Amino acid sequence: MPRVAIVIIPGYKQGVMPGTGPAIIYDHLYRAYDSRSEAVLLFRSWKSSATETARLLNSKRPTRLAVIGYSYGCGWGIPQLAKAVAPFNLPLDMAILIDPVPRYRGIFKPLSLTRLAKYRVPRYIGRVHTFRQCNASPYGRQLVAYAGTRVEIQQVYGSVENLRRHGGPGHHTVDNNMDHSSIDNDSRIRKAVLKIIGEWA
């Protein structure tokens, strides 16, 4: 019976294509965990069926579950998965968010490209880490978490001016070049994510 499960949900237009930041993280974790009988590793599109993923996870009955998301993988994939696993009482222990962008629909869709609103961490997630940038649209959003969810690492990248104006809480790192299209494949973030998972698993 597996001990842990890890679900990786990439961003808009990425799908499950190789070479993206989430895919590289998946490859690293696959080499580390996939052959171990006590681990389940899944790579799912942000718009794949959360219900099907939850049913698959439930069939494996992990004792702990972590999810790693990027962009819409955070803004849509993780909230949908959190709702889908709740009826199975699967313990959604941890979320790692890379530049989380809320998803809006219809005439409100352009709001995804603005700085408006924060990212609301779904209920029942035990702890959360976030890595985001405040340089270029779409911007990774600051977090709002429910009581009971521990917000741990908050790493923010941006220019001096953008960090001053939009950085918000967390550890600030000056990086003029970091933007939404590069943050998912940043080696510093990948190393940090793998370290977090290694310590958790």
Side-chain angles (χ1 to χ4, degrees):
M1 181 176 292
R3 183 171 60 90
V4 298
I6 305 165
V7 182
I8 301 174
I9 308 177
Y12 186 65
K13 293 186 177 179
Q14 285 186 325
V16 292
M17 298 294 291
T20 64
I24 294 171
I25 290 172
Y26 172 81
D27 289 342
H28 280 280
L29 294 176
Y30 182 88
R31 289 193 291 271
Y33 297 105
D34 195 66
S35 63
R36 292 165 49 177
S37 61
E38 73 272 22
V40 173
L41 180 61
L42 302 177
F43 193 33
R44 293 289 187 265
S45 163
W46 68 271
K47 57 183 178 180
S48 63
S49 171
T51 301
E52 290 179 8
T53 302
R55 287 174 179 163
L56 176 57
L57 289 168
N58 185 55
S59 72
K60 304 296 184 180
R61 295 309 302 176
T63 57
R64 289 184 299 148
L65 169 62
V67 61
I68 304 167
Y70 162 61
S71 188
Y72 268 16
C74 303
W76 182 254
I78 290 178
Q80 294 303 302
L81 183 61
K83 290 178 186 177
V85 301
F88 298 111
N89 294 313
L90 293 174
L92 188 41
D93 186 58
M94 181 175 67
I96 302 174
L97 313 174
I98 302 173
D99 230 28
V101 175
R103 186 192 184 203
Y104 296 91
R105 292 178 167 185
I107 61 172
F108 299 105
K109 191 173 182 180
L111 293 177
S112 294
L113 303 177
T114 71
R115 297 186 191 273
L116 294 177
K118 296 182 179 180
Y119 176 84
R120 182 168 291 281
V121 179
R123 236 181 246 280
Y124 311 123
I125 292 178
R127 52 183 163 150
V128 62
H129 305 269
T130 184
F131 302 86
R132 64 184 184 85
Q133 58 80 33
C134 57
N135 278 336
S137 175
Y139 308 93
R141 307 303 176 84
Q142 296 181 37
L143 305 185
V144 176
Y146 290 97
T149 298
R150 298 197 316 271
V151 179
E152 298 189 348
I153 295 173
Q154 294 192 81
Q155 174 65 60
V156 191
Y157 298 92
S159 67
V160 171
E161 179 63 17
N162 283 329
L163 287 170
R164 184 183 66 79
R165 297 180 62 191
H166 308 293
H171 183 269
H172 292 183
T173 297
V174 176
D175 189 328
N176 295 324
N177 298 317
M178 181 74 84
D179 60 18
H180 188 72
S181 63
S182 63
I183 192 171
D184 68 302
N185 203 13
D186 186 271
S187 61
R188 295 166 293 182
I189 295 173
R190 180 163 59 248
K191 182 178 179 181
V193 169
L194 295 173
K195 183 175 185 289
I196 292 167
I197 290 293
E199 292 173 351
W200 170 82

